[in-house]
Amino acid sequence: MKRVQLLIPVLTLVTLLVTSCSSVKVATDYDEAVDFDQYQSFAFYKPGIDKAEISDLDKKRILRAIEVELTQKGLVKSTNPSLLVSIFTKSNTNVDIYRNNYGYGYGYGWRPYYYGGMGRETVSTSTEGTLYIDFIDAAKKELVWQGMGTGVLSQDREAKIERIKEIVLEVMKKYPPGTDKK
């Protein structure tokens, strides 16, 4: 019985640590002189969005996720907006090589005096994507806020859709400045 009583707090702590860690790295920057309460409406800035080098389907997914987050923050989509929203993306392919050496032998270093050992190399690749979300003051045509989210992307359609939502959510938690949801 005492074992179970000790196990419950440990499991709770482990669960909290695992679920509280997001695998999305987020950074933001903004103009400190801007009063973000003045922005009540938004529209997507098509010239900027058209330059994003991703599929049109992924663009739509990103824009829908941004629209959901801004609407939840009280902003309204408008044809005469106070804030323009633009996006752009970058991606890197990471190649990881793991070498598992095991065996026996003698000598110095790997070659030429090493014999009898065996090993196995495993190569894996992953794509890390970065999404930039820019908010532009519509009247002044000036960038006032930028959020950046970076995370590993999946090729699986369903996993990719969920990952896009997660990245947008994590970035949008930082808007407006000073109102981070923990």
Side-chain angles (χ1 to χ4, degrees), residues 98-106 110-111 114-122:
Y98 302 98
R99 178 145 179 97
N100 182 6
N101 296 312
Y102 52 92
Y104 53 88
Y106 68 88
W110 287 100
R111 291 185 183 94
Y114 193 85
Y115 80 95
M118 301 180 76
R120 188 176 81 186
E121 286 185 356
T122 305

Side-chain angles (χ1 to χ4, degrees), residues 71-162:
T71 302
Q72 288 179 354
K73 292 179 181 291
L75 280 79
V76 180
K77 194 170 181 183
S78 170
T79 56
N80 187 22
S82 55
L83 199 60
L84 297 172
V85 180
S86 186
I87 62 168
F88 68 97
T89 60
K90 290 183 182 178
S91 66
N92 301 343
T93 300
N94 299 324
V95 179
D96 297 313
I97 301 172
Y98 302 98
R99 178 145 179 97
N100 182 6
N101 296 312
Y102 52 92
Y104 53 88
Y106 68 88
Y108 178 78
W110 287 100
R111 291 185 183 94
Y113 306 110
Y114 193 85
Y115 80 95
M118 301 180 76
R120 188 176 81 186
E121 286 185 356
T122 305
V123 178
S124 66
T125 60
S126 61
T127 302
E128 184 177 71
T130 302
L131 169 65
Y132 293 85
I133 302 173
D134 292 342
F135 291 164
I136 302 161
D137 183 295
K140 297 177 184 175
K141 302 290 189 247
E142 293 178 354
L143 181 66
V144 293
W145 185 90
Q146 182 177 67
M148 175 189 77
T150 302
V152 176
L153 304 175
S154 173
Q155 295 302 318
D156 176 68
R157 181 181 177 278
E158 295 303 318
K160 180 171 53 170
I161 290 169
E162 288 306 310

Side-chain angles (χ1 to χ4, degrees), residues 3-46:
R3 221 177 188 182
V4 172
Q5 290 174 343
L6 289 173
L7 190 60
I8 291 173
V10 171
L11 287 175
T12 303
L13 181 62
V14 169
T15 303
L16 254 171
L17 288 173
V18 170
T19 58
S20 68
C21 297
S22 173
S23 59
V24 177
K25 292 176 263 176
V26 175
T28 60
D29 196 8
Y30 60 94
D31 184 346
E32 301 88 15
V34 172
D35 175 16
F36 288 91
D37 290 334
Q38 70 179 313
Y39 301 118
Q40 301 299 317
S41 59
F42 71 95
F44 292 110
Y45 186 62
K46 188 169 173 21

Side-chain angles (χ1 to χ4, degrees), residues 47-56 59 87-89:
I49 293 167
D50 286 344
K51 292 178 185 176
E53 295 180 6
I54 55 174
S55 76
D56 287 344
K59 282 181 192 176
I87 62 168
F88 68 97
T89 60

